[in-house]
């Protein structure tokens, strides 16, 4: 409804302008009750009496309103059900004070919310400890989750520890964030002396070289299952660690000798994680990792419950981890292998034992992406079909990083061949997506590589280097031509092109994007390899050999000449390919 100021109304809607002339004090138009109708003035005694009567009437009104409020439909719900509704509101915004508004609606809602202990089990400390104190009192004996926001860490941390210490046995989750070094003595005392029998989750980023005094005794933490800490050596507490379902260990800052672990103790800890579901290890200081050892696949521990593993470690430590465990094929694997020595060449295969038995997902890969340009080599794998532009985490991610920032200008010749060699153990591969530079694409033995993937349906190769010595699409045309390629056959190694086996017999899409070299014989070569595939596959002459062929080439001709070349190429290949794309890079 639109509000209209009385001074701006039209004349026919104006109230009587002289209506005040009819008003008289002390009521000025208010109709008093009978017992006040003859009272026209108030002395001190009557004023006190009237104030008392006013309070009584207000109490009566509040009582009447409470009765009326009790009859509202939502307030007829059982208290337990209304509290459950409040729980849903709390869970949607537990780190936001909006859910506290239910306390202000009416007395009934205040009572229900303030006396439901479960509503107060999640306590976030931001600017003050008021909610923490209130929540600990109202949660009664229910286990509680306590988290300190970053902005409250430096000023409120000592008060928080003092407040929660009497309730230590009720703590179910404790997230402390980045602990200032000045507060470590109080934290060490708290952790070493408190019996936290309900604690299941503990997270803290401890300062370097100040956490050696922390001992997580099993008797004090009998239910601890999720530990996310930095700069804390826990390898000596294997009976405690072996029960973890989540373990996140890292080092932030310069590592100290005290926080260093021996490689044997570290691997024993990893092997003891039989219940682990999520494992994250980053930048750990491990001593003796480069010492000689004998790989024994029979001694690997199967982490059967593992759902996710994230490793950001030196490459040689990654190799030792993979040599100690077997990761389920359903687990998400994210690995960043660090190479601090610029003389060490990043290698995916160097991260894995020769038998590859640590990663059963490798034979199950259906989609793979290889990136070999920039500052390292990346291999991404998926057990399902993933289109080239699809986003989201991969089931397998192996990234070998090199410290040398100039590596992309001086790459080793096998920087692309090497990760493709790892994929030879993935016979179910259907989609292969590659991004690399000119010299590496040209150095790959494509006939040998492609002969390993009998189910491959799509190949995308993106050239991302400089416009010098560009590779020709003929490299791939020849590799896929059954009269030229050497195709692996089961039990007989390789055979000549006269064999009836066709490289990638199920191939439907070939995309060569980025910047490739255009040759005079490009269309002729393309037609030849398509004709030979049609003949070897026995494809009907009326049916296309491929669904899609995309070629992106560098052209140094004017637009009219380019359009003419594009039309000639696409028209020449139409009898063999459903969709032909010839484009300028």
């Amino acid at each position: 409804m639109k509000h209209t100021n009385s001074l701006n109304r039209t004349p026919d809607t104006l109230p009587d302008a002289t209506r005040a002339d009819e008003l008289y004090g002390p009521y000025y138009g208010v109709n008093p009750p009978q017992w006040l109708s003859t009272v026209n003035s108030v002395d001190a005694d009557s004023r006190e009496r009237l104030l008392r009567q006013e309070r009584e009437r207000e109490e009566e009104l509040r009582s009447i309103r409470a009765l009326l409020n009790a009859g509202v439909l939502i307030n007829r719900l059982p208290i337990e059900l209304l509290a459950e509704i409040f729980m849903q509101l709390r869970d949607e915004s537990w780190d936001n004070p909006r859910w506290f508004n239910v306390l202000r609606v009416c007395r009934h809602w205040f009572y229900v919310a303030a006396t439901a202990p479960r509503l107060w089990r999640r306590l976030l400390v931001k600017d003050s400890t008021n909610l923490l104190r209130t929540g600990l009192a109202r949660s009664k004996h229910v286990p509680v989750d306590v988290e300190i926001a970053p902005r409250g860490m430096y000023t409120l941390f000592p008060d928080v520890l003092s407040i929660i210490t009497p309730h230590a046995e009720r703590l179910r989750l404790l997230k402390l964030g980045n602990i200032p070094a000045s507060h470590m003595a109080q934290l060490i005392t708290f952790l070493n002396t408190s019996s936290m029998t309900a604690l299941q989750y503990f997270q803290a980023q401890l300062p370097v070289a100040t956490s050696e005094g922390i001992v997580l005794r099993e008797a004090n933490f009998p239910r601890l299952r999720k530990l996310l800490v930095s700069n804390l050596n826990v390898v000596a507490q294997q009976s405690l660690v072996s029960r973890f379902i989540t373990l996140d260990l890292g080092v932030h800052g310069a590592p100290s000798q005290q926080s260093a672990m021996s490689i044997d103790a570290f691997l024993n800890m990893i092997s003891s994680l039989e219940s682990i579901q999520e494992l994250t290890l980053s930048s750990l200081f491990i001593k003796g990792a480069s010492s000689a050892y004998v790989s024994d696949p029979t001694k690997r521990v199967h982490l059967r419950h593992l759902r996710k593993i994230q490793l950001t470690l030196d490459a040689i430590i990654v190799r030792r981890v993979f040599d100690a465990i077997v990761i389920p094929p359903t687990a998400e694997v994210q690995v960043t292998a660090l190479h601090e020595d610029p003389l060490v060449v990043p290698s995916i295969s160097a991260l894995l034992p020769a038998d590859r038995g640590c990663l059963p997902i490798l034979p199950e890969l259906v989609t793979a992406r290889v990136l070999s340009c920039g500052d390292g080599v990346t291999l991404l794998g998926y057990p399902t079909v993933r289109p080239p532009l699809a986003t989201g985490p991969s089931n397998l991610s192996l990234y070998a990083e090199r410290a040398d920032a100039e590596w992309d200008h001086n790459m080793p010749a096998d920087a692309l061949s090497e990760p493709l060699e790892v994929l030879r153990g993935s016979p179910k591969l259907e989609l292969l997506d590659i991004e690399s530079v000119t010299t590496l694409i040209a150095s790959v033995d494509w006939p040998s590589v492609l002969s390993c993937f009998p189910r491959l349906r799509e190949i995308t190769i993106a050239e991302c280097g400089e416009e010098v010595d560009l590779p020709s699409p003929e490299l791939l045309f020849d590799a896929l031509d059954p009269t030229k390629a050497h195709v692996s056959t089961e039990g007989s190694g390789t055979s000549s092109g006269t064999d009836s086996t066709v490289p990638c017999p199920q191939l439907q899409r070939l995309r060569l994007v980025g910047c490739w070299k255009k040759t005079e014989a490009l269309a002729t070569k393309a037609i030849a390899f398509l004709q030979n595939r049609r003949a070897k596959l026995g494809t009907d002459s009326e049916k296309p050999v491929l669904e899609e062929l995309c070629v992106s080439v560098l052209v140094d001709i004017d637009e009219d000449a380019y359009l003419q070349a594009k039309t000639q190429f696409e028209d020449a290949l139409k009898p063999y390919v459903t969709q032909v794309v010839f484009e300028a890079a």
Side-chain angles (χ1 to χ4, degrees), residues 8 128 154 178 205-206 228 240 260 268-269 281 288 412 419-420 430 449 471 486 492 521 541 562:
N8 295 324
S128 76
Y154 286 87
N178 192 355
Q205 184 172 324
L206 308 175
L228 296 86
L240 177 67
N268 286 338
M269 181 193 73
L281 306 171
L420 291 175
E430 296 184 22
V449 169
H486 291 272
S492 61
S541 60
Y562 158 68

Side-chain angles (χ1 to χ4, degrees), residues 324-377:
I325 61 175
V326 177
I327 300 172
T330 55
E332 181 183 336
V333 181
Q334 306 287 331
V335 175
T336 297
L338 308 175
H339 295 76
E340 296 182 359
D341 186 351
L343 298 179
V344 176
V345 176
S347 168
I348 298 295
S349 60
L351 306 178
L352 307 175
D355 64 287
R356 310 285 198 258
C358 58
L359 285 176
I361 191 177
L362 274 174
E364 304 300 320
L365 295 182
V366 175
T367 301
R369 292 174 181 161
V370 178
L371 291 81
S372 185
C373 49
D375 59 355
V377 181

Side-chain angles (χ1 to χ4, degrees), residues 39 82 186 308 318:
V39 179
L82 187 57
Q186 188 177 359
K308 183 176 183 179
V318 172

Side-chain angles (χ1 to χ4, degrees), residues 373-406:
C373 49
D375 59 355
V377 181
T378 302
L379 171 60
L380 306 177
Y382 311 81
T384 57
V385 174
R386 295 290 295 266
L389 297 180
T391 58
S394 58
N395 296 76
L396 175 67
S397 173
L398 303 177
Y399 172 47
E401 180 187 60
R402 185 175 181 178
D404 186 1
E406 300 299 320

Side-chain angles (χ1 to χ4, degrees), residues 293-320:
Y293 75 102
V294 177
S295 176
D296 187 353
T298 63
K299 294 184 178 180
R300 290 184 189 137
V301 175
H302 289 251
L303 303 184
R304 305 183 188 280
H305 303 287
L306 190 64
R307 297 199 303 256
K308 183 176 183 179
I309 179 170
Q310 291 182 287
L311 305 178
T312 305
L313 301 169
D314 188 81
I316 194 169
I317 301 175
V318 172
R319 171 64 179 264
R320 297 295 298 269

